[in-house]
């Protein structure tokens, strides 16, 4: 028993970390920033390896790129959530894209950081996330993002049904037939969703819905 005691005490004081990035230098940079606060368990270079590593080690925190080979970071997170893992995730990405941040948070991520500001952001993000909070790169405007999340939650299940049929290319008349609604009601739903999501055309509505992970 005594052999494990030091490791156990250390693990109790420092949370564990897995880093996922297909650029080794980026991964080592992340390791360098978080070295004082976390025990690094593994560095992996693709989404499949990330899923395997989380299953094997059940770390406290994952810091992952979104764009990775084999299976992207977001898909890896969704798969782990479906399998019941509640490891906290912080995504690092090149993309200053609020809709992607919204989609990441909806998928269960706790943080979203743009890589060019990672140096300043990452340590405070990790601490905030480990304390049960969420962290989004300030450049993205957290208020905008929480507003977007609220907006999505304000859509009714009927509206989301309409949205998915719009996304699959059906016209209002076909949607009305399929859902047993009047064409006017379908149009009203579309109009309301455009207002809620801040877009001005059906095409933009579909694009935004894709970004927010509402279509599958």
């Amino acid at each position: 028993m005594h052999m494990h005691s030091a490791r156990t005490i250390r693990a109790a004081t420092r949370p564990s970390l897995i880093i996922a990035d297909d650029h080794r230098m980026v991964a080592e940079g992340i390791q360098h920033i978080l070295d004082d606060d976390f025990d690094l368990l593994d560095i992996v270079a693709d989404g499949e390896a990330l899923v395997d590593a989380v299953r094997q080690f059940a770390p406290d925190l994952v810091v992952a790129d979104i764009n990775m080979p084999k299976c992207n970071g977001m898909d890896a997170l969704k798969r782990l959530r479906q399998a019941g893992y509640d490891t906290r995730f912080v995504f690092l990405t090149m993309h200053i894209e609020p809709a992607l941040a919204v989609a990441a948070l909806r998928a269960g991520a706790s943080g979203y950081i743009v890589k060019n500001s990672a140096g300043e952001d990452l340590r405070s993000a990790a601490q905030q996330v480990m304390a049960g909070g969420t962290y989004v790169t300030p450049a993205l405007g957290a208020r905008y993002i929480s507003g977007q999340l609220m907006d999505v939650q304000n859509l009714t299940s009927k509206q989301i049904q309409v949205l998915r049929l719009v996304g699959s290319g059906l016209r209002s008349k076909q949607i009305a037939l399929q859902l047993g609604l009047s064409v006017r009601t379908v149009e009203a739903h579309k109009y309301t969703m455009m207002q809620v999501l801040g877009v001005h055309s059906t095409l933009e509505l579909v694009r935004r819905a894709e970004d927010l992970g509402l279509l599958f």
Side-chain angles (χ1 to χ4, degrees):
M1 259 323 276
H2 293 295
M3 281 188 350
H4 298 295
S5 58
R7 174 80 189 107
T8 315
I9 292 162
R10 193 157 172 244
T13 53
R14 281 161 51 111
S16 56
L17 171 70
I18 286 175
I19 298 168
D21 199 299
D22 56 329
H23 297 99
R24 187 77 198 185
M25 278 178 68
V26 175
E28 285 170 1
I30 297 167
Q31 178 182 0
H32 180 70
I33 293 166
L34 296 179
D35 230 10
D36 291 343
D37 303 324
F38 290 86
D39 277 332
L40 180 69
L41 300 176
D42 203 1
I43 292 179
V44 295
D46 66 72
E48 291 289 346
L50 173 57
V51 171
D52 291 344
V54 172
R55 285 173 184 270
Q56 185 181 344
F57 296 113
D60 297 305
L61 180 68
V62 168
V63 175
D65 195 358
I66 290 184
N67 298 334
M68 287 188 292
K70 295 189 186 171
C71 156
N72 70 41
M74 203 100 80
D75 288 338
L77 168 59
K78 286 175 182 168
R79 279 168 55 184
L80 288 162
R81 285 287 181 266
Q82 280 163 357
Y85 290 87
D86 59 0
T87 298
R88 293 181 167 110
F89 262 70
V90 169
F91 282 122
L92 278 175
T93 174
M94 301 297 289
H95 304 289
I96 304 178
E97 176 49 73
L100 196 56
V102 172
L105 296 177
R106 287 188 75 237
S110 297
Y112 183 96
I113 299 173
V114 178
K115 276 186 177 176
N116 62 14
S117 64
E120 310 116 58
D121 284 2
L122 187 53
R123 235 184 130 179
S124 45
Q127 286 162 351
Q128 209 162 308
V129 163
M130 290 314 297
T134 39
Y135 188 97
V136 174
T137 295
L140 281 164
R143 282 177 62 194
Y144 171 85
I145 284 163
S146 53
Q148 287 281 297
L149 276 170
M150 285 309 299
D151 289 347
V152 169
Q153 285 156 1
N154 288 340
L155 295 179
T156 66
S157 55
K158 183 63 77 183
Q159 284 167 345
I160 288 175
Q161 268 184 307
V162 169
L163 189 54
R164 288 186 177 146
L165 293 173
V166 171
S168 68
L170 296 187
R171 299 190 177 282
S172 293
K173 200 170 177 180
Q174 297 165 301
I175 295 169
L177 276 170
Q178 193 158 330
L179 296 180
L181 303 170
S182 69
V183 174
R184 181 178 289 177
T185 303
V186 171
E187 288 293 340
H189 280 319
K190 273 170 66 175
Y191 178 74
T192 306
M193 288 187 287
M194 285 181 200
Q195 300 290 103
V196 166
L197 297 178
V199 295
H200 307 289
S201 70
T202 303
L203 182 62
E204 279 183 66
L205 179 63
V206 171
R207 283 207 183 124
R208 176 55 57 86
E210 279 173 349
D211 287 343
L212 294 174
L214 294 171
L215 305 181
F216 43 71

